[in-house]
């Protein structure tokens, strides 16, 4: 039997110490979203203020690709927390940011950045090829956005049935999800993450890391699906 899970953000418990003053919903998701917006505005203002310094000290590494990559990384980890806060608050903790995603995850992205900086230094002409063209940049960025959307939507549709950690036992609130993306794919969140991660390396123009991500992630998710 399958049942649909709730796709509405969970409201924080009401107490006699809280008196609503406006129309902003009293949810963990709203708190997280407001914090992120304020942080983004603050960082953007600092980036704008330091633009002249960047023009002076930047080298061949300071390209839009790097900025989009760093932004995509931030959005990914924020969305992991947002979707958990809004639709799966029972599992909400600092780990929901998925920053504690294992050393291999951080090593992989560190290697990707190392390849980006090294290749930009040794082979700056690569950015004069299609890797530095606007159509390629737009195409890869669009693919990355779509993959991120699939990942986040899958987490929302699974709601409390989603977990960052593989469970060995069925919990009472864990239901088989068969609607939405899950009617098309059994593991849409995995698919979204896979294509998002590969797209980050295509964005940076990394040949070695792109191949490495494809091979390693394919093995990882294949083993994880079997384990589930």
């Amino acid at each position: 039997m399958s049942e649909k899970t709730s796709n509405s953000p969970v409201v924080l418990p009401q107490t006699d110490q809280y008196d609503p003053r406006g129309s902003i919903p009293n949810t963990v998701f709203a708190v997280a979203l407001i914090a992120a917006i304020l942080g983004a505005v603050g960082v953007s203002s600092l980036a704008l203020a330091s633009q002249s310094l960047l023009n002076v000290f930047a080298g061949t590494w300071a390209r839009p690709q790097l900025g989009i990559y760093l932004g995509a990384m931030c959005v990914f980890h924020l969305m992991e927390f947002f979707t958990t806060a809004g639709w799966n608050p029972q599992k909400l903790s600092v780990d929901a940011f998925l920053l504690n995603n294992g050393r291999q995850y951080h090593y992989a992205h560190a290697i990707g950045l190392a390849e980006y900086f090294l290749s930009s230094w040794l082979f700056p002409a690569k950015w004069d090829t299609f890797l530095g063209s606007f159509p390629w940049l737009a195409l890869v960025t669009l693919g990355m956005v779509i993959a991120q959307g699939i990942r986040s939507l899958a987490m929302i549709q699974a709601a409390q049935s989603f977990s960052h950690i593989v469970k060995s036992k069925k919990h009472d609130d864990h239901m088989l999800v068969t609607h939405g993306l899950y009617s098309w794919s059994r593991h849409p969140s995995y698919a979204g993450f896979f294509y998002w991660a590969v797209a980050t390396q295509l964005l940076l123009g990394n040949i070695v890391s792109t191949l490495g991500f494809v091979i390693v992630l394919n093995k990882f998710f294949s083993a994880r699906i079997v384990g589930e």
Side-chain angles (χ1 to χ4, degrees):
M1 296 291 291
S2 63
E3 298 183 35
K4 290 188 177 182
T5 51
S6 174
N7 288 337
S8 300
V10 177
V11 178
L12 290 171
Q14 295 291 329
T15 70
D16 56 3
Q17 302 296 318
Y18 173 70
D19 182 21
R21 297 184 178 182
S23 59
I24 299 177
N26 183 34
T27 65
V28 179
F29 176 79
V31 172
L33 182 60
I34 291 171
I37 292 175
L38 292 175
V41 172
V43 171
S44 298
S45 64
L46 291 176
L48 184 62
S50 62
Q51 185 176 6
S52 59
L53 292 176
L54 183 62
N55 291 335
V56 173
F57 296 105
T60 55
W61 56 268
R63 307 190 64 84
Q65 286 83 350
L66 179 61
I68 296 174
Y69 166 81
L70 294 175
M73 290 291 293
C74 291
V75 168
F76 170 76
H77 289 287
L78 284 172
M79 289 304 298
E80 293 296 294
F81 185 86
F82 289 169
T83 51
T84 304
W87 291 270
N88 196 7
Q90 296 85 354
K91 300 184 180 73
L92 185 64
S93 72
V94 69
D95 289 337
F97 282 109
L98 213 61
L99 293 172
N100 298 324
N101 200 20
R103 288 178 295 178
Q104 294 85 349
Y105 172 80
H106 298 295
Y107 289 160
H109 281 283
I111 292 172
L113 283 172
E115 181 181 351
Y116 167 80
F117 285 117
L118 190 61
S119 62
S120 295
W121 177 47
L122 296 177
F123 311 106
K126 80 172 188 176
W127 297 115
D128 295 327
T129 66
F130 75 95
L131 292 175
S133 66
F134 177 78
W136 176 252
L137 176 63
L139 180 63
V140 175
T141 301
L142 177 62
M144 193 162 52
V145 170
I146 292 174
Q148 175 67 69
I150 292 174
R151 167 76 177 184
S152 298
L153 183 58
M155 292 177 63
I156 290 172
Q157 291 179 341
Q160 70 269 17
S161 296
F162 183 88
S163 175
H164 283 124
I165 302 174
V166 176
K167 302 295 184 180
S168 58
K169 296 181 180 179
K170 183 181 182 299
H171 289 222
D172 294 337
D173 62 350
H174 189 194
M175 304 174 185
L176 179 63
V177 184
T178 58
H179 67 283
L181 294 177
Y182 291 86
S183 65
W184 295 87
S185 171
R186 188 64 257 148
H187 299 281
S189 65
Y190 291 172
F193 181 86
F194 177 90
Y195 290 114
W196 171 85
V198 172
T200 63
Q201 300 309 300
L202 289 173
L203 178 69
L204 294 177
N206 292 339
I207 298 176
V208 175
S209 293
T210 297
L211 294 175
F213 270 51
V214 170
I215 295 172
V216 172
L217 285 174
N218 184 61
K219 289 184 177 180
F220 171 78
F221 284 125
S222 295
R224 182 156 178 158
I225 290 173
V226 171
E228 293 179 350

